[in-house]
């Protein structure tokens, strides 16, 4: 077991061979906090990689890394090779990203650095669902490192958190749960502002902006008003005054994140107001301070009667928000989950992205593996995130991918106080990869996971050859042994771990498969709920037609008999059985392959992941047998290969 309190993750620089000469001397002109942080990262990194302390000079003539701080306020930077020397030039934030780019490059074997780089999105943010008592909603990596017993924490771990974020390109974090509970409502009171200001300063050193989730009902909860109606003068004044005072104390705050009219949270609907009226009222309070408002679109009826077959939860976001396109103030970004329902292992891309022509949006991913194995299963989400960003919406001629459409990216954090930050030593790839994709959505999943693997576990080819295919296939494997063909939701209610085919079937959450003994699924085409019509052509037609609908989403879009013949000639039910046997076998193969790495990895890392694989295999077998048996008992159709189904 390591003597460190917590892992360095991918910032654990290792010795490199053939270190370029410029690593011996850093010629630096760094004035800003971020410029100084960049210098300190380079120094530490060079020491770790070469074993020698570099000379830090303000002027030099021989081979050196020449770090030049400009007054550029952006995040871009440029390298230029000058003989044996290398010049890194950028504004304060640019230098920081340039420094990490250089270190990362050196660590993965790059030796030539030239050209400029800048992030694709101005905001690349992590959303923490941390509560002030220290618990983390959907947290699978221990308690919060931001909060404990109602207090805000700060110190070396927060600084290392900010370093990790900056090193993969993330530049914002919302520290408290969107379900703003109890003490967290009081983050809007002066009692917490000195600590928030200090925290913001620690984060700012690494270019990470601080954001807060706020409660729409705060004027009632804190302000003594009997209403939170966004059209009420007193409510507007309360928000304007409170926001001004908060910014006075914490001037570099990014803004607010709001979950309103969602899963019991208060919002403008209570007062007969629209989502735009609610959002704009808060946005105006923030605009005066230069802040932004992230307004979540996760608005749906969560008290649906399961007998009601007309309401389709998948439609809700478009139904609520598409008609409001163009009605939001400029400093509002609509925060839209990647799919129309809720972070299932397989969902189509939310049609809402293609319906906003005059409104800014931020895509929300979930790195926390709520429905994807809770950091006990290996499930690398990077190929999925990338596919979503690359997905074409057909809403305009050219540049019509999600990546071209959204103005920012965010993800629900998978981090906590555990030694390895993310609960599973291989789940750091999801955090790292989200950051890298936010910086450049055109990087390939393979490039990203390769970097993560080499940076985290060293450059032994056997490690990369083993882990890279494992990571890249892991979500497809997870998908195979869990709920089939996009149907989702066959999980245990509340905690969402493990199989339960009817877990949400007779409940209020709007997530039904409506299986009988002959067929399963909700028809979402024009003859059904009409959800497919929320997409632009040709997507609406592709999804509506069972012959063109991608098979992995067949049961998301259509109601089909178990005997439906798939493209390869198998019946739908045989495909379900085969996927479950194959998926489970693939998980067992992951565990076997991991064993081969024992001699090459630190013992503590090896053992932690081995235990995770034990649990993944146990759980995959459970999924396989429960899902297969449930389908068999419903349909009475046996597996053509006669494998064991109970
Ligand atoms: C923060 C899902 C999760 C909730 C979460 C919610 C949301 O429903 O299960 O824990 O609440 O999404 O994104 O607001």
């Amino acid at each position: 077991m390591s003597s460190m309190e917590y892992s360095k993750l991918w910032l654990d620089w290792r010795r490199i061979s053939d270190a370029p000469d410029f690593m011996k001397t850093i010629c630096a002109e760094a004035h800003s906090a971020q410029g100084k942080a960049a210098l300190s990262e380079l120094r530490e990194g060079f020491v770790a990689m070469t074993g020698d302390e570099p000379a830090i000079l303000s002027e030099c003539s021989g081979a050196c890394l020449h770090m030049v701080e400009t007054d550029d306020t952006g995040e871009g930077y440029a390298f230029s090779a000058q003989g044996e020397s290398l010049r890194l030039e950028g504004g304060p934030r640019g230098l920081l990203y340039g420094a990490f780019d250089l270190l990362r490059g050196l660590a993965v074997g790059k030796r030539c650095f030239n050209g400029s780089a800048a992030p694709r999105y101005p905001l690349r943010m992590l959303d923490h669902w941390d509560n002030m008592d220290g618990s983390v909603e959907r947290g699978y990596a221990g308690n919060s490192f931001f909060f404990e017993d109602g207090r805000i924490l700060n110190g070396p771990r927060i600084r290392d958190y900010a370093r990790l974020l900056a090193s993969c390109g993330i530049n914002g974090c919302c520290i408290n749960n969107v379900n703003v509970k109890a003490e967290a409502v009081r983050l809007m009171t002066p009692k917490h502002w000195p600590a928030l200001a200090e925290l913001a300063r620690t984060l700012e050193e690494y270019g990470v902006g601080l954001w807060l989730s706020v409660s729409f009902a705060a004027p009632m909860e804190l302000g003594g008003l009997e209403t939170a109606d966004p059209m009420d003068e007193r409510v507007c004044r309360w928000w304007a005054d409170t926001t001004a005072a908060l910014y006075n104390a914490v001037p570099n705050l990014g803004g607010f994140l709001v979950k309103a009219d969602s899963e019991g949270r208060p919002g403008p609907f209570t007062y007969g107001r629209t989502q735009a009226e609610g959002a704009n009222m808060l946005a105006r309070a923030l605009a005066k301070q230069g802040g932004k408002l992230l307004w979540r679109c996760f608005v749906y009826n969560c008290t649906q009667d399961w007998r009601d077959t007309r309401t389709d939860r998948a439609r809700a976001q478009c139904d609520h928000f598409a008609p409001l396109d163009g009605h939001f103030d400029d400093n509002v970004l609509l925060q839209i989950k990647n799919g129309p329902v809720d972070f299932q292992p397989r969902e189509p891309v939310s049609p809402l992205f293609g319906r906003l022509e005059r409104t800014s949006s931020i895509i929300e991913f979930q790195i926390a593996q709520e429905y994807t194995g809770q950091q006990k299963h290996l499930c690398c989400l990077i190929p999925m995130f990338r596919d979503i960003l690359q997905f074409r919406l057909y809403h305009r001629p050219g540049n019509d991918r999600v990546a071209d459409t959204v103005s920012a990216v965010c993800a629900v954090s998978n981090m906590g106080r555990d030694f390895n930050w993310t609960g599973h030593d291989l789940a750091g790839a999801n955090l790292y990869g989200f950051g890298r994709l936010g910086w450049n959505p055109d990087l390939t999943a393979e490039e990203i996971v390769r970097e993560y693997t080499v940076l985290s576990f060293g450059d032994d080819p056997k490690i990369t050859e083993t882990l890279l295919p494992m990571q890249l296939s892991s979500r497809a494997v997870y998908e195979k042994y869990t709920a089939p063909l996009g149907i989702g939701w066959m999980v245990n209610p509340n905690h969402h771990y493990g199989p339960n085919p009817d877990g949400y079937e007779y409940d209020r959450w709007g997530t039904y498969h409506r299986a009988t003994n002959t067929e399963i699924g909700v028809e979402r085409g024009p003859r059904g709920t009409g959800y497919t019509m929320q997409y632009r052509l040709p997507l609406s037609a592709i999804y509506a037609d069972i012959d063109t609908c991608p098979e992995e989403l067949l049961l998301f879009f259509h109601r089909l008999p178990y005997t439906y013949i798939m493209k390869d000639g198998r019946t739908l039910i045989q495909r379900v059985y085969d996927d479950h046997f194959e998926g489970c076998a693939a998980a067992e193969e992951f565990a076997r392959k991991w064993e081969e790495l024992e001699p090459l990895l630190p013992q503590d890392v090896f053992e932690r992941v081995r235990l995770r694989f034990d649990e993944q295999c146990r759980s995959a077998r459970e999924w396989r047998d429960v899902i297969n048996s449930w389908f068999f008992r419903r349909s009475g159709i046996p597996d053509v290969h006669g494998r064991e189904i109970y």
Side-chain angles (χ1 to χ4, degrees):
M1 181 73 186
S2 165
S3 59
M4 291 184 292
E5 267 175 68
Y6 48 85
S7 159
K8 295 182 177 177
L9 294 184
W10 55 84
L11 293 180
D12 193 6
W13 309 116
R14 291 171 176 75
R15 277 295 172 90
I16 58 170
S17 52
D18 64 325
D21 278 350
F22 67 70
M23 293 179 80
K24 293 192 182 118
T25 310
I26 305 177
C27 182
E29 298 160 20
H31 320 291
S32 62
Q34 292 91 2
K36 288 179 185 150
L39 177 58
S40 119
E41 292 298 330
L42 287 167
R43 194 198 66 77
E44 269 182 50
F46 286 5
V47 170
M49 288 188 208
T50 64
D52 293 321
E53 185 75 46
I56 313 266
L57 306 171
S58 52
E59 273 180 40
C60 51
S61 49
C64 71
L65 172 68
H66 194 187
M67 199 179 99
V68 183
E69 183 171 326
T70 67
D71 52 13
D72 185 354
T73 53
E75 296 178 301
Y77 56 90
F79 288 116
S80 49
Q82 298 169 338
E84 295 298 293
S85 293
L86 180 68
R87 182 180 166 93
L88 166 61
E89 183 173 326
R93 283 157 213 266
L95 285 185
L96 199 53
Y97 296 118
F100 282 120
D101 188 8
L102 178 59
L103 292 167
R104 172 172 61 232
L106 289 165
V108 299
K110 195 168 155 186
R111 293 295 174 265
C112 281
F113 297 87
N114 243 326
S116 57
R120 177 61 184 261
Y121 305 105
L123 178 61
R124 310 168 300 279
M125 166 149 152
L126 264 197
D127 289 355
H128 293 261
W129 289 352
D130 294 17
N131 302 313
M132 288 197 73
D133 62 3
S135 63
V136 178
E137 182 157 343
R138 311 307 178 188
Y140 312 107
N143 272 2
S144 170
F145 42 73
F146 286 121
F147 304 112
E148 191 176 61
D149 300 333
R151 286 177 305 117
I152 299 168
L153 306 177
N154 208 334
R157 186 139 197 181
I158 300 290
R159 185 170 178 275
D160 284 329
Y161 160 82
R163 295 175 61 228
L164 285 167
L165 263 52
S167 68
C168 65
I170 299 171
N171 72 350
C173 65
C174 184
I175 56 170
N176 65 309
N177 192 351
V178 285
N179 293 327
V180 188
K181 296 181 204 159
E183 187 63 22
V185 175
R186 303 187 69 79
L187 287 171
M188 292 293 284
T189 62
K191 166 184 170 191
H192 289 300
W193 295 349
L196 281 179
E198 250 182 66
L199 177 62
R201 267 194 297 277
T202 307
L203 297 169
E204 180 64 17
E205 194 187 336
Y206 280 86
V208 178
L210 174 68
W211 295 68
L212 292 178
S213 292
V214 299
S215 164
F216 196 79
M220 299 166 77
E221 293 160 320
L222 301 174
L225 299 179
E226 76 285 359
T227 179
D229 182 351
M231 304 306 256
D232 187 303
E233 261 304 300
R234 294 162 305 162
V235 171
C236 301
R237 208 173 323 116
W238 185 87
W239 277 109
D241 293 347
T242 309
T243 305
L246 170 62
Y247 268 82
N248 196 31
V250 191
N252 48 357
L253 195 72
F256 299 153
L257 168 60
V258 184
K259 172 176 178 176
D261 289 315
S262 170
E263 302 188 328
R265 302 302 306 157
F269 283 169
T270 313
Y271 308 97
R273 310 299 181 191
T274 68
Q275 293 293 299
E277 285 167 334
N280 290 341
M281 180 274 294
L282 281 173
R284 282 164 202 159
L286 281 160
K288 293 187 194 127
Q289 315 305 326
K292 290 201 182 336
L293 179 72
L294 307 176
W295 185 265
R296 288 178 101 224
C297 298
F298 189 53
V299 177
Y300 69 98
N301 176 7
C302 69
T303 55
Q304 188 175 333
D305 184 338
W306 59 268
R307 300 166 193 86
D308 163 12
T309 52
R310 284 196 311 254
T311 308
D312 178 6
R313 172 169 165 183
R315 292 187 54 115
Q317 302 190 30
C318 257
D319 284 347
H320 287 304
F321 287 91
L324 295 176
D325 184 26
H327 292 239
F328 292 89
D329 284 8
D330 287 349
N331 62 332
V332 179
L333 283 90
L334 292 186
Q335 184 158 317
I336 308 169
K337 290 192 181 190
N338 61 262
V341 187
D342 192 7
F343 299 136
Q344 296 304 290
R346 172 75 67 176
E347 281 186 46
V349 169
S350 173
L352 185 54
F353 294 112
R355 300 292 295 276
L356 302 173
E357 313 274 341
R358 289 165 295 138
T359 307
S360 301
S361 62
I362 172 167
I363 187 168
E364 180 177 334
F365 294 110
Q366 191 182 40
I367 314 176
Q369 292 175 235
E370 178 177 358
Y371 297 99
T372 51
Q374 305 199 348
Q375 287 130 252
K376 296 186 177 83
H377 296 225
L378 174 65
C379 187
C380 175
L381 300 165
I382 302 313
M384 174 170 93
F385 293 171
R386 187 179 189 277
D387 287 351
I388 291 167
L389 288 165
Q390 296 293 326
F391 185 80
R392 290 186 65 190
L393 299 159
Y394 298 95
H395 59 314
R396 59 189 182 208
N399 292 338
D400 64 353
R401 300 170 310 163
V402 171
D404 309 315
T405 305
V406 297
S407 312
V409 293
C410 68
V412 180
S413 155
N414 61 353
M415 302 179 86
R417 259 201 223 185
D418 274 4
F419 176 83
N420 62 7
W421 299 82
T422 60
H424 191 313
D425 288 75
L426 302 179
N430 288 331
L431 174 63
Y432 179 82
F434 163 71
R436 299 286 287 132
L437 280 176
W439 182 275
N440 178 3
D442 294 323
L443 291 172
T444 66
E446 179 172 342
E447 279 174 88
I448 294 172
V449 177
R450 186 183 291 280
E451 272 176 17
Y452 170 78
T453 306
V454 172
L455 296 176
S456 309
F457 305 111
D459 62 359
D460 188 311
K462 164 87 179 164
I463 297 179
T464 316
E465 278 158 26
T466 307
L467 291 185
L468 189 58
M470 211 145 117
Q471 287 269 24
L472 292 175
S473 64
S474 58
R475 173 172 154 274
V477 166
Y478 184 82
E479 189 179 6
K480 276 188 167 184
Y481 62 73
T482 53
L485 304 170
I487 201 141
W489 294 104
M490 291 184 160
V491 289
N492 283 308
N494 306 320
H495 60 72
H496 300 161
Y497 189 72
N500 188 341
D502 285 328
Y504 276 106
E505 194 54 16
Y506 305 101
D507 216 328
R508 63 186 175 95
W509 299 96
T511 53
Y512 313 114
H513 54 64
R514 305 205 185 275
T516 64
N517 289 351
T518 53
E519 54 189 20
I520 183 168
V522 169
E523 179 56 44
R524 293 196 157 110
R527 284 176 297 104
T529 69
Y531 166 77
T532 56
M533 293 187 290
Q534 294 185 335
Y535 292 92
R536 310 279 179 170
L537 278 169
L539 295 174
S540 51
I542 290 171
Y543 289 143
D545 183 344
I546 45 173
D547 290 331
T548 51
C549 180
E551 286 199 330
E552 66 274 14
L553 284 166
L554 213 46
L555 291 179
F556 185 92
F557 284 106
H558 298 288
R559 179 165 182 81
L560 289 169
Y562 301 122
T563 51
Y564 173 77
I565 305 293
M566 308 288 286
K567 291 200 180 73
D568 62 7
R570 284 182 289 176
T571 58
L572 184 143
I573 193 135
Q574 190 56 42
R575 165 74 186 267
V576 171
Y577 295 150
D578 290 348
D579 277 5
H580 283 76
F581 284 111
E582 283 165 22
C584 187
E588 288 170 343
E589 181 64 6
F590 287 168
R592 202 193 57 70
K593 288 239 167 226
W594 180 256
E595 295 292 325
E596 292 174 10
L597 298 183
E598 179 163 17
L600 305 175
L601 291 168
Q603 197 57 25
D604 61 330
V605 173
F606 175 77
E607 283 300 337
R608 274 197 304 270
V609 176
R610 190 205 332 237
L611 291 175
R612 289 305 195 206
F613 277 129
D614 284 351
E615 168 54 17
Q616 179 167 1
C617 290
R618 185 208 62 76
S619 175
R621 285 191 283 270
E622 186 76 359
W623 270 102
R624 177 195 65 194
D625 293 341
V626 170
I627 297 291
N628 280 349
S629 299
W630 184 86
F631 273 89
F632 172 62
R633 289 176 188 189
R634 282 256 167 206
S635 67
I637 302 172
D639 169 39
V640 294
H641 303 297
R643 288 164 293 193
E644 242 172 331
I645 296 184
Y646 303 87

